């Protein structure tokens, strides 16, 4: 459930929206808009340009153009949280400014991810420069902690320092560490001060909500949006644990495969649209053995994206 | 010594040229051109936009503009090997095309470095797409293997496959693994076929040259260019081991500090130009204890950049 509080904060479930490509590896705007509409219809917000969007395989100009297309298609910017953290400070500033001007509800910000072993002071300066250069009170930054991929962490002391320096602007975090203890610590330390903690997948959705958190931003929300959003809406009901278990079954099925190609293959399968399976290098599509294995695995758990095709054809 | 063979190949010593910034953190073209001239005067080629250039803290537009400025200043493109490997395929294509049009002697190409655990097949497709899209016979790609930073390796089977598919275009490698055995294996397997192996620092310069390699591309060539280039010219003379030892003393002195801020601090010190010490986030300058410690350490080994100031004032 994506709602906005009195302070216009994004809550609930968001999907790092997978980016479709055509046979020339160009982003396919029409397919992307259709997929976004399908997600929104099921109460899932749009974390465009996330890791699972292959965002770091897209250039700055491509990301700007895609965001413009989404807004022109009248998708609601208030439900968008595009990834705007680039390796280069100047590009992070430009893309963040663009997102703010478009009216996005927030931005999900990676730390600069090329140089390793950088200090908290250096990362603080990075975020601080971006905030000052963008210079807009409506900016809401969600810090993106994903050390398994970025290899650069957003530490607890860094978060504390940023919240103190930029209260309101530093709005929350997506914790993709995969370590529940870390998410729990963030919830305990920062959520009470209005800093919204999103779990990095639905695996910890119920635990996050029970501990006062804001929701989750999850790859598998691209394929299982309705059920994940339902738990976010109804987590205080009696069947919450059962719902969580059902989500876990789907998640673990996809987690047996390379995630991004698997998501795209599932969408290709259920929409009868084979081009959806295309990924950009350095990723590769599921191979001739993995594709039927994924389809079999989905069948084995009775997983289907029942309303996808009607949505696509709409 | 940077020379060109009958096939116009870059050889000898190159420096990943440090990028000066002004107080607003903008690239400072004038200082960069002066520094490049000082390096060229000492027989050191220009590996612009390397790791030590803070290249991945620069945006695509900034890199394009800097390269244009270098060419407008009549620095010789044949002695340039700019880094053009970006996280996004489309940006790698654009920057590589720009370098080829500028007449650069080669390009030093990182693999896409955001996604981790990617396959050789995915990396092959990345390089293959770039080569085909640039579509220029004069393109010379030097693969940039620097797993400690990129966290994405250029494996030996990948190199073999690329050489077979694109002979001539795949021109060589910079091995910044820091593992001599890996450099030696590259020298044994690929150098005899005209694939030029550059050591990732002068630490392995003499060994690389004795094994038929092309030279080195080294951070410390920013501060000690003359002596490194001299060994590359005179490695068959009797004092080669002594020269190598002297280079090692300087290298190990700088290696005690964060390398990029230390290089810039040394240049600031010897050119009486304190702005040279500025780095872009996420890096930070040497702190109040490190700065005098570096100066003391340089003094202790009688290290000086004697002709730098005259060059700067020229």
């Amino acid at each position: 459930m994506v709602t906005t509080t009195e302070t216009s904060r994004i809550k609930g479930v968001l999907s790092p929206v997978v980016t479709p490509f055509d046979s020339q590896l160009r982003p396919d705007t029409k397919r992307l808009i259709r997929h976004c509409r399908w997600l929104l219809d099921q109460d899932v917000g749009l974390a465009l340009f996330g890791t699972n969007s292959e965002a770091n395989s897209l250039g700055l100009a491509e990301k700007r153009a895609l965001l413009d297309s989404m807004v022109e298609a009248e998708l609601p910017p208030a439900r968008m949280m595009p990834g705007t953290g680039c390796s280069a400070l100047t590009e992070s500033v430009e893309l963040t400014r663009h997102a703010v001007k478009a009216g996005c509800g927030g931005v999900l910000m990676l730390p600069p991810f090329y140089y390793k072993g950088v200090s908290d002071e250096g990362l603080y300066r990075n975020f601080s420069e971006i905030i000052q250069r963008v210079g807009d009170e409506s900016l809401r930054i969600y810090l993106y902690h994903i050390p398994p991929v970025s290899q650069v962490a957003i530490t607890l002391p860094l978060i504390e320092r940023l919240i103190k320096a930029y209260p309101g602007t530093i709005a929350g975090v997506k914790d993709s560490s995969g370590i529940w203890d870390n998410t729990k610590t963030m919830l305990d330390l920062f959520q009470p001060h209005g800093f919204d903690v999103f779990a990095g997948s639905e695996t910890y959705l119920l635990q996050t909500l029970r501990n006062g958190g804001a929701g989750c931003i999850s790859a598998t929300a691209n394929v299982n949006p309705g059920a994940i959003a339902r738990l976010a809406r109804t987590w205080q009901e009696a069947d919450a644990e059962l719902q969580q278990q059902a989500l876990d079954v789907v998640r673990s099925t996809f987690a047996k495969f390379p995630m991004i190609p698997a998501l795209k293959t599932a969408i290709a399968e259920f929409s009868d649209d084979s081009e959806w399976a295309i990924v950009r290098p350095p990723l590769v599509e599921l191979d001739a053995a993995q594709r039927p294995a994924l389809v079999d695995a989905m069948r084995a758990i009775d997983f289907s994206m029942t309303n996808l095709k009607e949505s696509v054809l709409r």
Side-chain angles (χ1 to χ4, degrees), chain A:
Chain A
M1 179 179 59
V2 175
T3 59
T4 50
T5 68
E6 64 282 8
T7 54
S8 298
R9 287 288 189 86
I10 293 176
K11 304 265 185 186
V13 178
L14 294 97
S15 170
V17 189
V18 285
T19 307
F21 296 107
D22 67 15
S23 60
Q24 302 299 305
L25 300 177
R26 288 172 300 216
D28 184 324
T29 312
K30 278 190 184 173
R31 280 188 178 90
L32 179 59
I33 291 169
R34 280 200 301 249
H35 189 59
C36 287
R37 288 204 174 117
W38 183 70
L39 294 171
L40 289 167
D41 283 350
Q42 294 173 87
D43 230 357
V44 163
L46 309 175
L48 298 157
F49 315 147
T51 297
N52 285 280
S53 314
E54 297 171 78
N56 291 304
S57 301
L58 298 170
L60 178 68
E62 290 175 311
K63 284 185 258 197
R64 287 181 59 119
L66 278 173
L67 188 57
D68 290 345
S69 300
M70 299 299 102
V71 174
E72 279 160 26
E74 300 189 351
L75 297 179
R79 299 180 89 176
M80 295 181 194
M81 189 195 284
T84 62
C86 303
S87 173
L89 172 68
T90 39
E91 297 199 338
S92 298
V93 171
E94 187 178 335
L95 194 55
T96 303
R97 192 179 281 143
H98 199 70
V100 169
K101 281 190 184 157
C104 292
V107 298
L108 186 57
M109 199 174 286
L110 278 170
F113 50 81
Y114 180 71
Y115 296 96
K116 306 302 185 305
V118 296
S119 63
D120 274 7
E121 171 65 22
L123 293 176
Y124 176 82
R125 289 188 195 179
N126 170 74
F127 290 113
S128 187
E129 280 286 332
I130 294 168
I131 292 166
Q132 291 183 33
R133 289 178 185 215
V134 172
D136 193 310
E137 285 295 313
S138 68
L139 172 62
R140 296 286 172 272
I141 292 178
Y142 296 84
L143 302 166
Y144 189 5
H145 179 57
I146 182 168
V149 185
S150 65
Q151 304 279 331
V152 176
I154 311 273
T155 67
L156 301 171
L158 174 61
I159 295 174
E160 191 172 6
R161 188 173 167 197
L162 283 166
I163 291 174
K164 276 189 186 152
Y166 302 102
T169 300
I170 298 293
V173 72
K174 175 186 181 188
D175 182 11
S176 292
S177 66
I179 301 165
W180 167 249
D181 278 356
N182 191 62
T183 310
K184 178 71 165 62
T185 304
M186 288 177 172
L187 286 161
D188 292 346
L189 289 177
F190 306 126
Q191 183 73 54
H193 305 288
F195 176 87
D196 285 326
V197 177
F198 289 87
S201 83
E202 72 275 29
T203 306
Y204 298 123
L205 177 57
L206 184 55
Q207 281 173 279
T208 297
L209 294 170
R210 282 180 175 167
N211 284 276
C216 74
I217 304 174
S218 176
T220 26
N222 275 290
V223 291
N224 198 24
I228 303 174
R230 185 178 158 238
L231 177 57
R233 276 192 308 269
T234 64
W235 64 275
Q236 287 167 307
E237 296 183 11
D239 70 342
E241 297 276 0
L242 282 172
Q243 284 190 58
Q244 180 68 59
Q245 284 166 28
L247 298 185
D248 292 347
V249 170
V250 175
R251 176 86 190 177
S252 64
T253 300
F254 279 89
K256 285 174 197 152
F257 299 87
M259 182 59 82
I260 299 169
L263 297 172
K264 288 184 147 183
T265 297
I267 297 170
E269 179 75 15
F270 286 106
S271 61
D272 276 340
D273 179 359
S274 62
E275 277 207 359
W276 247 110
I278 296 171
V279 294
R280 231 185 216 189
L283 302 188
V284 294
E285 297 82 24
L286 297 191
D287 64 28
Q290 289 169 321
R291 273 194 306 274
L294 174 64
V295 173
D296 287 349
M298 292 191 295
R299 228 172 256 150
I301 60 166
D302 277 330
F303 176 79
S304 66
M305 297 165 70
T306 42
N307 57 352
L308 179 63
K309 204 166 169 186
E310 301 92 84
S311 169
V312 166
L313 294 170
R314 191 175 55 172

